[in-house]
Amino acid sequence: MIPAAFEYTRPESVGEAVRALAAAGDEAKVLAGGQSLLPLLRLRLAFPELVVDVGRIPELRGVREDGDTLVIGALTTHHDVLRDPLVRRHAGLLAAATQTVADPAVRHRGTLGGSLAHADPAGDLPAVVLALDGELVVAGPDGRRTVAAGDFFVDYLQSALAPDELLVEVRLPKTDGWGFHYEKFHRVAQAYAIVGVAALVRRGDGRIAEARVGLTNMGSTPLRAVAAERALAGADGSDAVARAAELAAEGTWPPQDVSASPEYRTHLARVLTRRAVLAATEAR
């Protein structure tokens, strides 16, 4: 289909972009890599009066260190994220999961910030940033504010971003020394995950000292498998991990769609959590 008519602007700075968004109110959409927005426009599932193209704002790109935190510009492409040496060294889970996003063409255009701002619970990266205890920095007319990943994803395709705010960077605590693995089940290559599991494991004295488990497509937002995380603390073998993984779906509300029933997704969450955690315990 042909998109509905809209006005277009290409700001050259974050301040200019925020002013454009504020002037348009609810009638504007941000265009970054376009891998989420353009299909919505073509299907007329979104019909903004103004498209604000932030693709030429240089300060939104790149990866840097800030003490014990890794800072990734929102406009950094998936391709650049998964190849960046700082990401691979300090946030290996993000690099591993990004490698599974769609296909090379999408990864060259799609951006980390665009994926998170889209807030699709079936997307791979929201659950990963949630498991990493990430923070998202947004800019608005009153300046910048920082939102914890757990507060950023509000509902299906809804985030904590106000209409006049722009996601500018993602801050991730370094996880050096943690094991990690991203496991997802999808029917065909390049498809969204029916269920995905992002696992982080810190070992000590031959046991799991701490575990974080993020779940993809198990609710209207990305979720943490809190009950499983608690049960994994102190686990000392595959049997203990398997028992903890049985709790992975507690507190979730998996959707019903053409790909899977809630019951099947519950089963997948348990199986994939066991696999992901076991793999993470071996990945140091």
Side-chain angles (χ1 to χ4, degrees):
M1 293 180 64
I2 299 174
F6 55 81
E7 296 295 322
Y8 172 87
T9 185
R10 181 188 286 171
E12 297 182 356
S13 68
V14 170
E16 187 180 341
V18 168
R19 288 192 292 273
L21 292 171
D26 293 336
E27 302 304 324
K29 289 288 186 183
V30 173
L31 174 65
Q35 302 307 294
S36 298
L37 179 61
L38 292 182
L40 294 179
L41 293 177
R42 291 187 63 190
L43 293 171
R44 297 204 177 193
L45 296 175
F47 30 89
E49 293 184 2
L50 174 68
V51 169
V52 181
D53 183 352
V54 298
R56 299 292 179 89
I57 302 178
E59 65 186 282
L60 295 180
R61 296 185 185 273
V63 182
R64 61 181 174 85
E65 295 178 90
D66 183 10
D68 292 332
T69 301
L70 200 62
V71 184
I72 306 174
L75 206 60
T76 307
T77 65
H78 303 316
H79 173 84
D80 289 342
V81 165
L82 67 90
R83 284 165 174 76
D84 189 272
L86 290 175
V87 175
R88 298 176 74 88
R89 184 181 311 134
H90 301 302
L93 176 62
L94 178 61
T98 301
Q99 182 67 58
T100 74
V101 171
D103 55 36
V106 170
R107 292 195 293 270
H108 272 78
R109 291 293 304 168
T111 64
L112 173 60
S115 175
L116 300 178
H118 188 50
D120 189 342
D124 298 295
L125 303 184
V128 171
V129 172
L130 191 62
L132 286 165
D133 281 341
E135 294 180 328
L136 297 94
V137 180
V138 301
D142 297 324
R144 299 193 176 194
R145 65 187 180 100
T146 300
V147 184
D151 298 323
F152 185 80
F153 305 104
V154 175
D155 204 342
Y156 182 71
L157 300 183
Q158 296 181 36
S159 74
L161 281 169
D164 57 0
E165 289 183 320
L166 177 69
L167 177 60
V168 295
E169 64 185 30
V170 181
R171 300 178 62 86
L172 303 174
K174 295 178 180 178
T175 51
D176 302 39
W178 289 63
F180 59 86
H181 187 75
Y182 185 67
E183 184 86 16
K184 73 176 179 179
F185 182 81
H186 49 147
R187 296 189 184 279
V188 296
Q190 305 169 12
Y192 281 102
I194 295 176
V195 172
V197 175
L200 277 166
V201 171
R202 181 173 61 83
R203 293 178 60 84
D205 298 326
R207 299 171 178 266
I208 295 175
E210 182 181 355
R212 302 182 199 159
V213 179
L215 300 176
T216 295
N217 217 1
M218 285 295 289
S220 60
T221 66
L223 299 168
R224 287 277 287 268
V226 177
E229 290 177 348
R230 291 171 179 162
L232 284 165
D236 59 357
S238 58
D239 290 343
V241 169
R243 289 192 296 271
E246 287 297 306
L247 304 174
E250 285 196 8
T252 68
W253 48 96
Q256 166 82 51
D257 57 29
V258 296
S259 297
S261 67
E263 293 77 16
Y264 185 49
R265 282 193 163 90
T266 295
H267 167 72
L268 284 176
R270 294 167 177 162
V271 172
L272 299 183
T273 295
R274 176 177 57 81
R275 292 179 184 175
V277 171
L278 288 174
T281 61
E282 299 171 2
R284 299 293 296 279

